Amino acid sequence: MKGIILAGGTGSRLHPATFPISKQLLPVYDKPMIYYPLSVLMLAEVREILLISTPRDLPLFERLLGDGSNLGLRISYARQDGPHGLAEAFTIGAEHIGDDDVALILGDNIFHGHGFANLLQENVAGLDGCVLFGYTVPDPDRYGVGETDETGRLISIEEKPEKPRSNRAITGLYFYDRDVVEIARSVKPSARGELEITAVNQVYLQRGKARLVDLGRGFAWLDTGTPDSLLQASHYLQTMEQRQGVRIACLEEIALRMGFIDHESCYRLGLTQGSSPYGQYVMNVAAEYRADLLATGA
């Protein structure tokens, strides 16, 4: 499976903070926002990733992430010249996707919950059509909403309905089979000239190949679109990290535990980040991992 992170847009609800920089490069507690969606793809065992952003912001993402080789990844970049809809990611990324399945995640979505890696990997392995991820919200009229039968198969998708048929919002994480590029090219743009992701999902629904996976209780899906929600997300992550003693979306640790890099590479990555608490954490993780290997004779 290939991966795409869509990190464009103007971040207008966060102005003036986003006048000089992409929203997805703003810090959410102790790391750039883009680390969170990238970590989701890594947990799903996706290693070839295309990051799509504006011509202005692409050099900044490249400076931060490079080609991904230090994390055992292959990261490439493509430009989106305007807000032409989420589904444009599939036409922009058609060559990147090739004949593979693809995971699309929005660059401002943050997910956290126990067992998330297993949930992602199970749905990658069993993919047939598209898999969307639902999250129970108190105000479903603000979101795209999915209604399912008892097996989880989608039977309806509504965009910001006045009378929602369920309270399950469709999050910004999507898995698609290789047909998605052809489908994205075939759907008609909206009245605003955008390729809507809902139109793509409707095609899969009509084919009977769309499922909605509930993230369920114990999961967090965090919004970062306004100053208040960005601050709330930072407070949540600060609380969880300090209480659990782990750093959420630590790319170096994920790369180590997923087998993308070894402990020596992980330690060097921490060392390059100097005396920052994040860098110290990465070095400690690498040292503990090495000690565990020695203790087990691996």
Side-chain angles (χ1 to χ4, degrees), residues 18-80:
T18 49
F19 276 135
I21 193 170
S22 166
K23 172 175 71 172
Q24 291 86 0
L25 289 168
L26 293 176
V28 185
Y29 183 42
D30 60 348
K31 59 189 74 71
M33 188 186 299
I34 197 66
Y35 273 39
Y36 298 93
L38 180 54
S39 73
V40 171
L41 295 182
M42 293 172 68
L43 289 172
E45 298 184 318
V46 176
R47 301 178 68 172
E48 294 184 50
I49 297 164
L50 176 69
L51 191 150
I52 299 174
S53 189
T54 65
R56 182 198 71 171
D57 294 317
L58 277 176
L60 300 177
F61 285 109
E62 292 189 61
R63 180 180 177 185
L64 175 67
L65 300 172
D67 64 3
S69 58
N70 60 335
L71 296 169
L73 307 175
R74 291 177 57 187
I75 301 176
S76 54
Y77 301 87
R79 57 188 284 170
Q80 185 180 38

Side-chain angles (χ1 to χ4, degrees), residues 117-195:
N118 288 337
L119 180 68
L120 294 170
Q121 292 165 25
E122 287 169 5
N123 282 283
V124 168
L127 185 62
D128 179 22
C130 82
V131 172
L132 312 179
F133 293 84
Y135 189 80
T136 300
V137 295
D139 47 359
D141 56 302
R142 294 180 51 222
Y143 302 91
V145 175
E147 180 189 13
T148 66
D149 62 17
E150 64 279 0
T151 69
R153 185 175 63 88
L154 270 168
I155 57 177
S156 75
I157 303 173
E158 300 176 287
E159 195 65 35
K160 298 181 180 179
E162 291 185 10
K163 297 181 179 180
R165 298 181 183 181
S166 84
N167 60 352
R168 284 174 290 184
I170 295 173
T171 69
L173 173 63
Y174 317 84
F175 290 173
Y176 296 97
D177 66 16
R178 65 192 65 186
D179 293 337
V180 70
V181 173
E182 173 194 345
I183 291 171
R185 285 171 170 163
S186 68
V187 298
K188 294 182 179 180
S190 68
R192 295 182 298 177
E194 298 180 358
L195 287 178

Side-chain angles (χ1 to χ4, degrees), residues 132-273:
L132 312 179
F133 293 84
Y135 189 80
T136 300
V137 295
D139 47 359
D141 56 302
R142 294 180 51 222
Y143 302 91
V145 175
E147 180 189 13
T148 66
D149 62 17
E150 64 279 0
T151 69
R153 185 175 63 88
L154 270 168
I155 57 177
S156 75
I157 303 173
E158 300 176 287
E159 195 65 35
K160 298 181 180 179
E162 291 185 10
K163 297 181 179 180
R165 298 181 183 181
S166 84
N167 60 352
R168 284 174 290 184
I170 295 173
T171 69
L173 173 63
Y174 317 84
F175 290 173
Y176 296 97
D177 66 16
R178 65 192 65 186
D179 293 337
V180 70
V181 173
E182 173 194 345
I183 291 171
R185 285 171 170 163
S186 68
V187 298
K188 294 182 179 180
S190 68
R192 295 182 298 177
E194 298 180 358
L195 287 178
E196 300 284 0
I197 197 76
T198 301
V200 171
N201 295 337
Q202 288 284 2
V203 174
Y204 280 102
L205 185 150
Q206 292 162 10
R207 294 180 178 181
K209 288 194 170 187
R211 290 193 303 114
L212 185 68
V213 174
D214 274 316
L215 293 179
R217 297 180 66 179
F219 271 86
W221 174 47
L222 304 178
D223 181 22
T224 57
T226 67
D228 284 344
S229 61
L230 184 61
L231 183 61
Q232 289 165 5
S234 291
H235 283 163
Y236 170 85
L237 293 163
Q238 178 192 37
T239 300
M240 296 301 294
E241 290 192 3
Q242 291 183 354
R243 289 187 178 180
Q244 296 179 350
V246 299
R247 291 189 180 262
I248 298 166
C250 176
L251 303 183
E252 296 84 356
E253 180 177 13
I254 294 171
L256 174 63
R257 300 198 185 282
M258 297 294 290
F260 299 169
I261 60 174
D262 59 25
H263 63 87
E264 293 178 347
S265 298
C266 184
Y267 189 89
R268 287 195 296 270
L269 289 173
L271 193 62
T272 62
Q273 301 185 63

Side-chain angles (χ1 to χ4, degrees), residues 261-293:
I261 60 174
D262 59 25
H263 63 87
E264 293 178 347
S265 298
C266 184
Y267 189 89
R268 287 195 296 270
L269 289 173
L271 193 62
T272 62
Q273 301 185 63
S275 59
S276 72
Y278 185 94
Q280 290 294 320
Y281 175 83
V282 172
M283 287 188 283
N284 289 339
V285 164
E288 290 171 5
Y289 191 89
R290 178 179 181 275
D292 289 343
L293 290 179

